[in-house]
């Protein structure tokens, strides 16, 4: 699988994992203090080939994603499930621990965030669906993020991400239905 866009990752181990899964070029941020030089590389990559931001499903990864996308609009975003980013033994979480299949799946489902955001799903919809303010909300948001391929978020981030990716009311309702059915069957 050849990827046209350049993939922004956090470090060398992520690049190694990406290259095991696909034929692609990467730019490494080397941590969450993203340098001006790195931003310029990403900007040039976006202008010439396009960019996919593919960071770890944790707080530092989200911070890097936000910094890069704030400075370089129009990038695509790939998300890996937390369970796919855990090592088979030991601790930690990251793209470097993911299988080639999990990486290919995440890249295949990369989204572009929309600049002109239209609110299709309201915060009230999130509360009604039990995604905010309930004991099971975190688990529901995690599963919803997997189903919609937008990654895990807290309640506030979920609303923003649903708008940025322009998730339709129908897709949202279908995913919620699956989440609730899985809960019932568990």
């Amino acid at each position: 699988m050849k990827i046209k866009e350049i993939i922004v990752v956090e470090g060398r181990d992520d690049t190694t994992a990406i290259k095991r899964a696909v034929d692609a070029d990467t730019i490494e941020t080397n941590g969450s203090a993203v340098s001006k030089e790195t931003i310029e590389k990403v900007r040039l990559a976006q202008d010439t080939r396009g960019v996919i931001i593919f960071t770890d499903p944790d707080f530092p990864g989200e911070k890097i994603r936000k910094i890069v996308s704030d400075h370089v609009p129009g990038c695509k975003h790939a998300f890996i499930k937390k369970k796919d980013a855990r090592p088979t033994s030991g601790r930690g979480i990251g793209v470097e621990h993911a299988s080639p299949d999990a990486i290919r799946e995440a890249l295949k489902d990369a989204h572009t965030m929309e600049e002109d955001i239209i609110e299709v799903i309201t915060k009230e919809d999130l509360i009604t669906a039990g995604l905010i303010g309930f004991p099971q909300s975190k688990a529901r948001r995690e599963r919803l993020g997997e189903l919609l391929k937008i990654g895990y978020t807290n309640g506030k981030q979920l609303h923003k991400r649903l708008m940025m990716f322009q998730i339709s009311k129908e897709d949202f309702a279908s995913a919620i239905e699956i989440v609730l059915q899985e809960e019932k069957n568990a």
Side-chain angles (χ1 to χ4, degrees):
M1 182 176 179
K2 172 82 172 136
I3 306 291
K4 174 186 79 111
E5 296 91 350
I6 296 175
I7 303 171
V8 174
V9 295
E10 294 180 42
R12 188 175 60 237
D13 292 340
D14 297 331
T15 292
T16 301
I18 297 287
K19 290 187 181 290
R20 270 196 309 263
V22 295
D23 182 5
D25 296 314
T26 62
I27 294 173
E28 297 165 4
T29 65
N30 297 310
S32 58
V34 183
S35 70
K36 287 180 182 169
E37 293 80 19
T38 300
I39 292 294
E40 284 310 310
K41 280 188 213 171
V42 174
R43 191 171 283 127
L44 177 62
Q46 176 67 355
D47 290 344
T48 57
R49 290 175 49 192
V51 167
I52 299 173
I53 302 172
F54 193 21
T55 56
D56 298 346
D58 58 9
F59 180 78
E62 286 302 313
K63 182 178 176 187
I64 292 166
R65 183 181 299 280
K66 181 172 177 13
I67 290 168
V68 173
S69 60
D70 284 351
H71 285 87
V72 186
C75 295
K76 289 182 180 176
H77 294 261
F79 298 93
I80 195 151
K81 298 173 190 167
K82 281 188 175 186
K83 69 179 173 84
D84 291 337
R86 296 207 186 279
T88 51
S89 62
R91 298 176 51 139
I93 190 166
V95 170
E96 72 268 19
H97 303 299
S99 71
D101 286 341
I103 289 171
R104 283 189 288 270
E105 184 70 22
L107 290 169
K108 180 177 70 73
D109 294 323
H111 296 278
T112 303
M113 289 188 179
E114 295 296 324
E115 297 301 314
D116 298 326
I117 298 173
I118 300 167
E119 184 179 50
V120 177
I121 300 157
T122 66
K123 287 183 180 172
E124 290 74 29
D125 293 330
L126 301 181
I127 293 167
T128 301
L131 296 166
I132 300 174
F134 294 89
Q136 70 276 28
S137 293
K138 180 179 180 182
R140 286 181 179 176
R141 286 192 307 270
E142 191 163 339
R143 183 64 181 128
L144 183 77
E146 288 175 7
L147 291 168
L148 296 175
K149 309 213 183 312
I150 60 171
Y152 170 74
T153 60
N154 65 29
K156 188 175 179 181
Q157 290 172 327
L158 176 61
H159 183 248
K160 184 176 180 183
R161 205 166 278 174
L162 289 167
M163 289 190 313
M164 291 173 81
F165 288 123
Q166 292 294 280
I167 302 296
S168 72
K169 198 99 162 165
E170 295 77 23
D171 289 344
F172 175 76
S174 296
I176 286 296
E177 195 174 309
I178 291 168
V179 170
L180 297 176
Q181 189 63 48
E182 288 174 352
E183 267 182 23
K184 202 161 95 174
N185 294 339

